[in-house]
Amino acid sequence: MRENRSDIVIIGSGLAGLSALIAARTANPDRSAVLLEKKKRPGGKIPVAGSGQCNITHSGSPQSFLSKYGEKNRFVKPALFQYPNSFLIDFLQQRGVPLEEEENGKIFPCSRKSADVLNAFVREIHALGGKIVCDSPVSHFDLQNGEFVIHTESEIWRAEKLLLATGGISWPGTGSTGDAFPWLEKIGHTIVPLRPALTSLIINPWSYASCSGISFHSDRIELIRNEKRIRTLTGEILLTHTGLSGPGILDGSRYMEPNDKLLITLVPFRSREEFEVRFLNDLRQFSAREVQSIVRQYNLPERLVHEIFRSVRIPLESRGAEFSKENRKKLIDRLFSFPCEIRAKDGFEKAMCTAGGVDLSEADPKTMMSRIVPNLYFGGEILDIDGDTGGFNLQFAFSSGSLAGHHMGNA
């Protein structure tokens, strides 16, 4: 088997790996650096990000990003502040990829083509003299005499420094199949259990399949576990054929487990009392109207209102003047605390990213180097980091990979 040597070896060609190679070569062009990719082409999840349009990052200050990674803000801060969204935006625009910002702050290439983003990174790597070796799956690595020995199907690579950017296990078709986690456990690293994140929910029972495609904003999504409220979330919700999706659900899915319950406020009121007072006043003021038409005034689509009335067994033709106290209570309960029991989360095949991974206490956030194995570095989703939807995961991949690569090149 042929043996090769490189000062730096990177495994995985997603955004973290590509960014690390660029940063390493930029920091020290005299250090050789190679990237090994098991697929026939580089890119990882870049080609499929944002449904192929590549929501590469988000607008806002680096400080505003910190709340987008659950409780991991202290860990992500050094990388995001040294390599912020403005750095990534400038990098792409200076290399011929103009970007545009949507009203919601998401940033895409103007062409809406992920290939344009990927090609800009690959061209930069070639310009810097970096090397990408595709169709080269790594089976394992060893530590021998202070250096890493990386085994592929046909070659052995020896390196002073190694970066793992192999991702999690979501969207396995892109190459993220969790290859590195057994390697890391073997050398003493702790892997936080892997869970689907940024994923839709399957609700049981679910009688709202006919409302699939309807979306609305909820100011209150209560997560209940064992009869205790453990978290309150907000955000846009999308009804699907099997349950719930949309940014508010996707972002909160990192906290959710099967058998948890959600109580969702469907109407735009801060408290149940405020809603109840308004609803009773409207019933009196519009006593001759059908109650379902009064409810639609609260920014709820007609299809959803009709299904809610059916679910609580209230006739659609009910009018305000004849609306009983019992029906008022049933309807207020359903509109302000719409109940959903989580049967399951969509699996890793559909989840946008992976929660869990390398325990953050075992990595240095200022360098991305392992605290257990010197000269071993991490980048992107292999770490126990999962960001909100909207470009935050690609941004962390870029920032963490760049930070790791910088230190690999300089150290």
Side-chain angles (χ1 to χ4, degrees):
M1 186 173 288
R2 187 175 66 180
E3 288 201 12
N4 306 279
R5 180 173 294 276
S6 179
D7 295 321
I8 296 168
V9 168
I10 296 164
I11 304 177
S13 71
L15 190 57
L18 297 174
S19 302
L21 183 51
I22 290 171
R25 291 293 297 167
T26 301
N28 191 342
D30 294 329
R31 281 184 177 269
S32 56
V34 64
L35 189 156
L36 304 178
E37 167 55 44
K38 69 179 180 181
K39 305 286 280 186
K40 294 184 181 298
R41 295 181 181 83
K45 292 181 180 177
I46 297 175
V48 297
S51 300
Q53 299 183 42
C54 200
N55 173 199
I56 187 64
T57 187
H58 203 278
S59 62
S61 67
Q63 187 71 35
S64 71
F65 273 60
L66 297 183
S67 64
K68 305 300 182 180
Y69 302 89
E71 283 75 37
K72 313 297 174 59
N73 55 318
R74 292 184 65 183
F75 187 91
V76 302
K77 184 175 181 179
L80 291 175
F81 276 54
Q82 187 163 339
Y83 292 95
N85 53 342
S86 58
F87 192 105
L88 175 54
I89 291 167
D90 289 345
F91 174 90
L92 288 169
Q93 295 195 141
Q94 290 169 8
R95 286 157 183 81
V97 184
L99 304 174
E100 61 184 5
E101 178 183 342
E102 293 189 339
E103 288 184 6
N104 56 16
K106 294 180 180 180
I107 294 177
F108 292 82
C110 292
S111 66
R112 298 295 173 126
K113 294 180 179 178
S114 295
D116 291 348
V117 172
L118 175 58
N119 291 338
F121 277 87
V122 172
R123 285 196 303 269
E124 183 69 9
I125 287 169
H126 291 157
L128 292 170
K131 185 177 182 180
I132 301 175
V133 181
C134 291
D135 204 13
S136 187
V138 173
S139 60
H140 66 285
F141 70 84
D142 302 312
L143 287 166
Q144 296 179 5
N145 301 320
E147 70 177 5
F148 297 94
V149 182
I150 300 104
H151 298 259
T152 74
E153 291 182 348
S154 58
E155 297 178 311
I156 292 175
W157 287 86
R158 296 182 179 271
E160 175 189 345
K161 299 178 186 298
L162 173 64
L163 182 139
L164 298 178
T166 50
I169 57 175
S170 58
W171 283 358
T174 65
S176 294
T177 51
D179 300 346
F181 296 124
W183 311 338
L184 291 168
E185 288 182 315
K186 185 178 179 181
I187 59 175
H189 266 287
T190 303
I191 305 302
V192 176
L194 307 176
R195 313 175 306 282
L198 290 187
T199 185
S200 301
L201 304 178
I202 299 171
I203 303 301
N204 185 32
W206 184 244
S207 58
Y208 293 85
S210 64
C211 296
S212 177
I214 289 176
S215 63
F216 56 90
H217 181 86
S218 177
D219 291 326
R220 176 179 158 273
I221 307 168
E222 287 195 353
L223 177 58
I224 311 295
R225 183 173 299 154
N226 298 324
E227 306 304 322
K228 294 182 180 179
R229 183 179 65 185
I230 63 172
R231 193 171 296 270
T232 300
L233 308 162
T234 64
E236 292 292 319
I237 294 178
L238 173 68
L239 305 185
T240 72
H241 286 290
T242 56
L244 303 173
S245 189
I249 297 298
L250 296 174
D251 294 345
S253 63
R254 61 166 69 95
Y255 307 114
M256 300 172 185
E257 299 295 340
N259 301 317
D260 287 350
K261 297 179 181 178
L262 300 178
L263 296 177
I264 302 170
T265 297
L266 304 180
V267 289
F269 295 90
R270 296 180 181 177
S271 69
R272 180 190 174 95
E273 292 74 21
E274 180 186 355
F275 171 51
E276 190 167 357
V277 169
R278 168 68 182 274
F279 183 54
L280 295 178
N281 285 339
D282 286 346
L283 286 178
R284 286 191 291 267
Q285 183 177 355
F286 306 109
S287 59
R289 289 174 55 181
E290 291 184 346
V291 178
Q292 54 100 0
S293 71
I294 296 174
V295 172
R296 293 208 308 271
Q297 295 180 143
Y298 309 138
N299 300 323
L300 290 177
E302 183 176 8
R303 271 192 298 153
L304 177 57
V305 172
H306 287 186
E307 286 299 329
I308 289 171
F309 271 65
R310 291 189 182 98
S311 71
V312 293
R313 299 179 180 178
I314 297 175
L316 279 175
E317 62 274 13
S318 299
R319 297 185 181 274
E322 60 192 30
F323 209 53
S324 69
K325 183 177 181 179
E326 178 186 358
N327 281 343
R328 291 201 303 266
K329 184 180 184 306
K330 286 196 299 184
L331 190 55
I332 290 170
D333 284 344
R334 186 55 54 99
L335 293 173
F336 198 80
S337 298
F338 183 82
C340 296
E341 182 172 336
I342 301 172
R343 188 181 84 192
K345 298 196 285 187
D346 274 343
F348 288 108
E349 291 285 345
K350 295 182 179 180
M352 297 181 193
C353 70
T354 303
V358 175
D359 191 310
L360 299 185
S361 68
E362 299 174 358
D364 184 350
K366 296 181 180 179
T367 63
M368 295 294 143
M369 189 172 76
S370 166
R371 296 186 188 275
I372 294 176
V373 180
N375 295 322
L376 174 64
Y377 293 78
F378 306 109
E381 199 176 340
I382 191 172
L383 292 157
D384 181 22
I385 297 288
D386 58 288
D388 288 355
T389 184
F392 298 103
N393 287 293
L394 283 180
Q395 178 63 54
F396 178 71
F398 172 81
S399 299
S400 60
S402 296
L403 183 62
H406 174 79
H407 284 280
M408 293 173 79
N410 278 325

